[in-house]
Amino acid sequence: MNITRLHSRALGILFLLPFFAYGIGTALITSVLSEPGHLAAVAGQRTPFVGGALLLLLNSVTVVGIGVLFFPILRERSPSIAVAYVCTRVMEALLLIVGVVFLLSILQLGESAQGQTTPELETLSKLLSKGNFWAYQLAMIILGAGSVAFCLSLYRSRLLPSLLPLVGAVGYGLLALGSVLELFGLPWGTLFSGPGGLFELFLGGWLIAKGFRTVTPAVTA
């Protein structure tokens, strides 16, 4: 299929945008939650906290957009992978939204406490924070596992340089593995997420600068 430059650039932007949205959003929320006695102070820092949560929600919207825009491209060669990839991105987004709900519950908890924290409230705040952690790791497992076939489909399609989707397949596999290890208490998720993250950054830049190759699918008798 002939993929327009606008389509390619839109996909490239959607791959790059989550890094800024999720990175800045996480930094804003972490800056509040990392303070000693954060539950007592969270109500007074509502603006950065809610701003960070909104950026995390923007990230969820963009990952669904990636799946939707890739659907017509993947459908040309593998309709089943096209559907599976959209489902992967939707499930990733839903789990990330659940994580945001946990975080906003901490804000509500802090506002209800009115500066008077108790051990019970602190424990509940930690559980909500842990819920966000679990939701994120499960989202990364789904993203990693579901995106391996996506990368292999891109490799077979020859729409990109052959090495790029192969690196992506390995990177996404490591991402899923790292999140599984995180759930077992092994803090290796950040290390294992590096290759997959670099793939998405490079893919986004490539699609903006060069776009997809024009390839005519082979006609079978």
Side-chain angles (χ1 to χ4, degrees):
M1 71 180 290
N2 184 22
I3 306 168
T4 66
R5 292 290 291 122
L6 179 61
H7 196 148
S8 300
R9 286 171 178 162
L11 268 170
I13 291 170
L14 287 180
F15 267 104
L16 296 178
L17 186 58
F19 284 90
F20 297 99
Y22 201 89
I24 296 173
T26 300
L28 288 172
I29 290 177
T30 302
S31 68
V32 178
L33 297 183
S34 62
E35 293 185 5
H38 67 269
L39 194 55
V42 68
Q45 302 188 55
R46 182 183 181 88
T47 298
F49 200 93
V50 173
L54 290 176
L55 286 172
L56 297 186
L57 290 176
L58 174 61
N59 170 76
S60 296
V61 173
T62 59
V63 300
V64 173
I66 290 172
V68 170
L69 288 184
F70 252 117
F71 180 79
I73 299 173
L74 298 174
R75 185 180 54 188
E76 289 290 312
R77 289 166 174 80
S78 180
S80 60
I81 290 179
V83 173
Y85 188 62
V86 172
C87 292
T88 293
R89 287 297 189 169
V90 170
M91 288 189 289
E92 175 197 359
L94 290 175
L95 281 168
L96 292 176
I97 290 172
V98 169
V100 174
V101 172
F102 280 125
L103 293 174
L104 290 175
S105 298
I106 296 176
L107 174 62
Q108 183 61 43
L109 190 65
E111 291 180 338
S112 301
Q114 297 180 342
Q116 303 297 321
T117 60
T118 64
E120 291 78 12
L121 290 176
E122 292 288 351
T123 299
L124 183 54
S125 175
K126 291 179 181 178
L127 287 174
L128 291 170
S129 181
K130 198 67 174 178
N132 172 65
F133 168 81
W134 278 73
Y136 175 80
Q137 299 304 335
L138 290 174
M140 293 304 100
I141 290 172
I142 290 173
L143 171 63
S147 296
V148 172
F150 155 74
C151 287
L152 294 179
S153 179
L154 285 180
Y155 172 76
R156 291 193 297 268
S157 71
R158 294 178 288 130
L159 292 171
L160 295 168
S162 299
L163 183 61
L164 185 55
L166 290 179
V167 170
V170 173
Y172 281 125
L174 290 175
L175 173 65
L177 176 59
S179 292
V180 170
L181 294 175
E182 286 280 355
L183 295 182
F184 281 99
L186 300 173
W188 296 345
T190 301
L191 176 64
F192 279 53
S193 67
L198 289 175
F199 163 74
E200 291 198 347
L201 281 173
F202 192 82
L203 177 60
W206 182 275
L207 292 178
I208 292 173
K210 295 181 177 296
F212 292 101
R213 293 172 173 171
T214 300
V215 177
T216 302
V219 178
T220 56

